[in-house]
Amino acid sequence: MSYATVDLLTGHLEGDGIADSSKLLSQLANVFADEACRAAMDQDTIVYEVQSQQLVKEGEPGGLFFGTSNVMPGKVGQEYFMTKGHYHAKRECAEYYWCIQGKGALILMDEAGNTTMEPMFPGSLHYIPGYVAHRLANTGDEVLRVGACWPSDAGHDYGSIVETSFSARLMDVDGVPTLVPAEKK
Ligand code: F6R
Ligand code: ZN
């Protein structure tokens, strides 16, 4: 038996098998469109944090992982703070996201390179099918807190995103979050 709790208001996890990680601006080189702007900002700024409960080994088939991602409010130039984004290494693996607190967007890209977004608000539920890359962006001025549940053998493929990037980026265009075609890599 394992014992853990999830704070229903914030998604904060505590207890057995919980791992914490955070991503600073210094760890996100070339993730945002305006790399010069990112490099000029305070490198110790936290862009997002992830907590997850992993009770089986990563890669083991049949299990599930449960997590909470907190994306901070902020922008690099006009681009909202966001996660790196990934495909699952085991491409067919799907995932659920749900928004707990804050305002943002789930950015999705299929393997043909079509990028779309789904608005996120407390209570919004998002099914991410297999073969679809996903990333979170915070478009509000408070922390965006998002729950997630995914298969323990899904894995993460960040490399394909580094190579080709998402085909569109979520930018603040006159105060409106707008998907803008990305410059080709
Ligand atoms: C797991 C998942 C989330 C993300 C988290 C951080 O499959 O989608 O838990 O891992 O939101 O984003 P990345 O992994 O893109 O840095
Ligand atoms: Zn995922």
Side-chain angles (χ1 to χ4, degrees):
M1 272 295 282
S2 70
Y3 181 79
T5 57
V6 50
D7 184 318
L8 293 177
L9 295 179
T10 64
H12 185 78
L13 302 176
E14 239 172 77
D16 296 336
I18 311 287
D20 290 74
S21 70
S22 55
K23 279 276 182 290
L24 310 178
L25 265 180
S26 61
Q27 298 167 287
L28 296 172
N30 300 309
V31 168
F32 295 91
D34 192 342
E35 170 58 16
C37 178
R38 183 208 63 86
M41 293 168 72
D42 178 355
Q43 295 300 291
D44 292 331
T45 306
I46 295 177
V47 179
Y48 62 98
E49 304 165 329
V50 182
Q51 282 198 298
S52 61
Q53 187 189 48
Q54 308 201 348
L55 293 176
V56 297
K57 270 219 180 98
E58 172 131 47
E60 196 172 305
L64 291 170
F65 291 155
F66 187 95
T68 301
S69 299
N70 298 322
V71 185
M72 305 305 149
K75 277 182 265 186
V76 174
Q78 292 306 109
E79 190 171 14
Y80 299 100
F81 275 10
M82 61 182 179
T83 58
K84 281 173 74 170
H86 57 267
Y87 288 102
H88 289 149
K90 200 171 170 197
R91 284 288 194 280
E92 67 267 35
C93 289
E95 180 165 6
Y96 266 115
Y97 276 5
W98 57 97
C99 180
I100 299 164
Q101 206 178 77
K103 192 168 115 181
L106 170 60
I107 304 170
L108 302 166
M109 181 173 70
D110 65 21
E111 287 189 309
N114 302 305
T115 299
T116 54
M117 65 174 256
E118 296 180 0
M120 301 189 97
F121 51 87
S124 65
L125 180 64
H126 308 266
Y127 179 71
I128 303 165
Y131 303 93
V132 171
H134 41 286
R135 108 177 335 158
L136 291 166
N138 185 340
T139 60
D141 45 24
E142 58 173 328
V143 181
L144 172 69
R145 301 183 194 278
V146 174
C149 187
W150 67 101
S152 51
D153 59 348
H156 297 94
D157 171 10
Y158 296 103
S160 299
I161 299 301
V162 171
E163 253 170 53
T164 56
S165 103
F166 278 67
S167 60
R169 295 178 168 279
L170 195 63
M171 314 290 284
D172 176 342
V173 178
D174 300 328
V176 181
T178 308
L179 271 183
V180 175
E183 276 180 26
K184 280 248 156 41
K185 272 210 169 177

